[in-house]
Amino acid sequence: MKIAIIGAGYVGLVSGACFAELGHQVICVDNDKDKINALKKLKIPIYEPGLEELVKRNHQHGRLSFTSDIASAVKASLVIFIAVGTPPKENGEADLTGIESVARSIARAMDSYRLIVEKSTVPVETGKWVKHTIEINKKKKVSFDVASNPEFLREGQAIKDFMQPDRIVVGVESKKAEELVRELYGALGAPLLVTDIKSAELIKHACNSFLAMKISFINAVASVCELAGADVERVAEGMGMDKRIGRSFLNAGIGFGGFCLPKDLDAFVSISEKLGYNFSLLKEVKKINESKKLEFIKKIEDNLWNIKEKTIAVLGLAFKPDTDDMRFAPSIDIIEKLQSDGAKIRAFDPQATHKAKGLFSGVKFCKDAYEAAKGSDCMIIVTEWSEFKELDFKKLKRLLKQPLIIDGRNIYDPNKLKGLGFKYVSIGR
Ligand code: UGA
């Protein structure tokens, strides 16, 4: 099937490469000419395990190409995915101007039937506006369908999530649109839920907000565990054994970040409010998430006495492991607060350093955890990269000024670290 994907960001590029891998003919479109030129030279703008090989292979086989000319891509394709960004506005609403402008360009270039699919995360009722925009801007008397097909992939395991999804959700208004989407995804053999467009749009916001709620819930439980002297890891284990709850997304820590959960939570609160519902539950989810970072700073203060002029080794900068994405990473707020309190920061991240360099000033970026630890008053864990779990603690003990580790992701066994002579502070235990 001939597909155009408008927006070669995270979702667009991964989906494009994966659709090509399934045998479709894919054109990825982006108005960022530098990005398209780099992609033509097979330079991938993000770190995502497996993506580079997938892009290279499908490009070599002639199934994946790149352009900044949206009109030619629309003319050459039957199905057009809109995967442009929907960044947050000041008031928390999603900015949909990119979607509108793409819908307009599609409408002007269409010369026969097209299926236009929303892939970007959008508030409910966007489909209605996309349809209206195409209707009033199309040059010729051509028919078209609009569908919603939200993407649920996670950064760091995006290809696996795309290729082996729990489900594919598609919101449609016609049998023809449903059949086309079924054909597109047929090779995956995954369960496909067909709904109306509004419900499909809502499923995406509801899922990300529910995941955020799970994290804030366990983080609130972690605070109670600390007060009561219980262990949040054991509590999460016990809760997770109940199949109705499940163990995933019950990892306590410094809270969720990234470009999806925080912005989608805000956008869902905002669209609910617009529709006339005060989603106060989700407002509390956000509050708890913000408070976790402050609680973490307090732990550092409690253990260092004065922060001023202390050197802190920060392990992990990306918002989560296996990505170089720094957008809304908890490390940003934490480092900025520590610096404003007068601390010196020595930081290490296995992949995100090049992106982090543009975000901080006065941070010493180190080549590994040991260089960061050298001469530091304590080491803090901000992102749970798996390589941090395998560190040489004897070496670390020699390098740190004092054997103090404050862990915002609960990656170590407290008894083991105590046995090795460390003062070890973690979350909710
Ligand atoms: C999230 C969703 O998980 C995807 O299903 C969705 O497709 C994506 O947003 C999106 O809308 O594009 P992602 O942002 O890549 O994916 O990352 P997650 O794995 O969900 O992690 C989000 C944040 O929550 C990270 O900062 C992570 O450290 C934190 N987290 C996650 C916790 O603090 N505890 C947990 O138990 C799980």
Side-chain angles (χ1 to χ4, degrees), residues 35-50:
K35 188 191 265 183
I36 290 297
N37 286 337
L39 283 167
K40 281 182 177 165
K41 289 180 200 140
L42 302 178
K43 287 206 176 78
I44 312 297
I46 46 173
Y47 171 74
E48 177 64 36

Side-chain angles (χ1 to χ4, degrees), residues 333-383:
D333 290 343
I334 290 169
I335 289 178
E336 278 174 359
K337 176 77 176 80
L338 291 172
Q339 283 183 318
S340 75
D341 289 345
K344 296 190 190 87
I345 304 292
R346 296 171 69 82
F348 170 65
D349 188 283
Q351 290 294 339
T353 304
H354 65 292
K355 287 195 176 161
K357 275 185 176 161
L359 297 172
F360 302 107
S361 60
V363 169
K364 159 85 181 146
F365 292 98
C366 300
K367 68 173 190 320
D368 59 22
Y370 305 107
E371 193 193 352
K374 199 172 173 200
S376 292
D377 293 275
C378 79
M379 188 172 97
I380 66 172
I381 310 290
V382 175
T383 315

Side-chain angles (χ1 to χ4, degrees), residues 59 79 122 125 142 162 168 175 183 369 407:
H59 183 72
V79 184
V122 290
E125 294 190 330
V142 289
F162 188 97
I168 292 156
K175 204 69 202 157
E183 197 182 327
D407 179 1

Side-chain angles (χ1 to χ4, degrees), residues 10-11 121 150-157 161 167 204 207-208 211-212 214-216 218-219 247-264 289 318-321 323 325 328-330 382-384 408-409:
Y10 225 103
V11 168
T121 299
E151 183 49 60
F152 300 101
L153 57 80
R154 285 163 293 181
E155 293 185 18
Q157 37 195 327
D161 283 348
R167 76 321 202 175
K204 174 68 191 190
C207 282
N208 274 3
L211 291 171
K214 257 188 121 173
I215 300 168
S216 279
I218 200 66
N219 279 336
R247 175 63 183 81
S248 61
F249 276 72
L250 286 182
N251 295 326
I254 48 179
F256 55 83
F259 199 60
C260 301
L261 263 45
K263 97 173 155 60
D264 291 352
N289 197 50
F319 85 95
K320 68 171 193 177
T323 178
D325 199 341
F328 297 96
V382 175
T383 315
E384 68 277 31
R409 298 292 182 184

Side-chain angles (χ1 to χ4, degrees), residues 24-84:
H24 300 300
Q25 194 68 37
V26 182
I27 311 174
C28 285
V29 188
D30 205 290
N31 59 6
D32 179 342
K33 290 203 171 106
D34 291 342
K35 188 191 265 183
I36 290 297
N37 286 337
L39 283 167
K40 281 182 177 165
K41 289 180 200 140
L42 302 178
K43 287 206 176 78
I44 312 297
I46 46 173
Y47 171 74
E48 177 64 36
L51 183 60
E52 195 171 329
E53 300 88 88
L54 203 67
V55 168
K56 280 186 179 158
R57 184 166 60 243
N58 284 285
H59 183 72
Q60 272 154 13
H61 286 114
R63 290 189 298 259
L64 182 62
S65 59
F66 306 98
T67 181
S68 44
D69 179 9
I70 186 165
S72 66
V74 169
K75 287 198 167 75
S77 312
L78 171 62
V79 184
I80 297 140
F81 282 91
I82 303 180
V84 295

